[in-house]
Amino acid sequence: MAEMILIIIGVLILGILARIGVKFWQYGRPQHLKHVPEATCADDGAVTLFIPGYAGNRFSFGGMLQRFVTGGIANKSLVVMVDRHNQPHVTGHLDPYRPMVQVIFATPRVAVRQQANGILAVVQYLIAHEHVQTINLVAHSMGGVVLFQYLTTAAKLVNLPEVRKVVTIGAPFNDSEVGQNTYPIENHPLTKDGPAQTTPVYNYFLRTLQRLPNTISYLNIAGNIGDAAQSDGAVALNSALSLRFLLRPAIDQYQEFVVHGKNARHSRLHENYAVDRQIVQFLYPDSTKMVAGQK
């Protein structure tokens, strides 16, 4: 009897490992739509980069991108591995219809500025090899800070693609530590004029985001699991939503969405169908497709 139980447990463990292995393979390769419509508007032609958070990997956005492909929404055209020297290693080809690019950092625990330089290298690759003219940026957690660091750097440069739309998910815009999780969760109340107390990262963006063009549209997504800190378990709602004050000059092009409940946890935000739906409606407002798994 004991041997039979051990055999069953072994089979279950092998099944779980096999499933993880399949996901690991799927999440790190391009995936294309079976039936590809023609691009009919600027939204369909923009290239969308997905930027993971601190210590992120292919699992960070792999599931979301797969759901978008399975749902007939967009193509996962390229997977770009950025090495420790910020050199992009590219797999796949760029589709003309709703191309998505999964960015993965080979050394995912580095400083914001280094990762932002990595994003710049990816964008420069897209210009040189794919002649990309317009991009969207989607980022989770520290990736949101990396995203805005890239935007402030790009604002000083020329001949870079136009950024049309920006999506941030659970990003710590008013935390002292924007990478590793710290406890207690940093939570500075918001007043009508901004956070009651500000951190260096917030103050930096308060000075630099004035450089951004007024043509970018923003969607800021935050989670609230209903804990004492009113947070997603890692980033306080007040920290994530402090972005509205940093983008005050572009407030007409800014919108925010708060996810509630257990699936609003920080590491689950990119696995949340409500988040999927918000991103799809924002990037492709004319889309009639639904994300796989939704009804």
Side-chain angles (χ1 to χ4, degrees), residues 106-276:
T107 51
R109 294 177 174 85
V110 297
V112 167
R113 195 173 297 273
Q114 183 174 341
Q115 287 199 358
N117 288 337
I119 298 301
L120 178 60
V122 173
V123 172
Q124 290 172 330
Y125 173 92
L126 294 174
I127 297 170
H129 297 273
E130 303 289 353
H131 311 293
V132 169
Q133 297 181 342
T134 57
I135 62 173
N136 304 316
L137 299 167
V138 179
H140 174 250
S141 191
M142 188 185 90
V145 180
V146 171
L147 184 160
F148 276 99
Q149 178 65 59
Y150 163 79
L151 289 178
T152 60
T153 301
K156 298 181 289 185
L157 303 176
V158 296
N159 299 325
L160 291 179
E162 173 195 2
V163 178
R164 291 175 54 81
K165 298 181 180 182
V166 163
V167 180
T168 47
I169 308 167
F173 293 111
N174 194 31
D175 276 27
S176 299
E177 169 56 63
V178 299
Q180 302 182 65
N181 294 341
T182 56
Y183 296 96
I185 293 170
E186 200 163 356
N187 183 17
H188 304 300
L190 298 180
T191 71
K192 63 181 180 62
D193 298 316
Q197 180 179 338
T198 60
T199 62
V201 66
Y202 182 92
N203 294 330
Y204 171 77
F205 284 136
L206 193 62
R207 297 191 307 271
T208 58
L209 293 192
Q210 311 306 314
R211 305 172 186 162
L212 301 186
N214 58 9
T215 54
I216 304 174
S217 297
Y218 303 91
L219 171 62
N220 185 24
I221 298 173
N224 186 357
I225 60 174
D227 59 342
Q230 295 294 287
S231 75
D232 62 13
V235 177
L237 201 59
N238 285 333
S239 180
L241 298 185
S242 64
L243 180 62
R244 70 168 75 124
F245 300 97
L246 296 173
L247 296 176
R248 189 173 290 172
I251 199 65
D252 291 342
Q253 291 137 270
Y254 170 86
Q255 56 184 290
E256 56 191 32
F257 178 75
V258 178
V259 188
H260 296 272
K262 62 180 182 180
N263 288 328
R265 189 165 293 278
H266 190 71
S267 61
R268 297 294 301 169
L269 285 171
H270 43 57
E271 307 304 325
N272 189 301
Y273 286 140
V275 172
D276 287 0

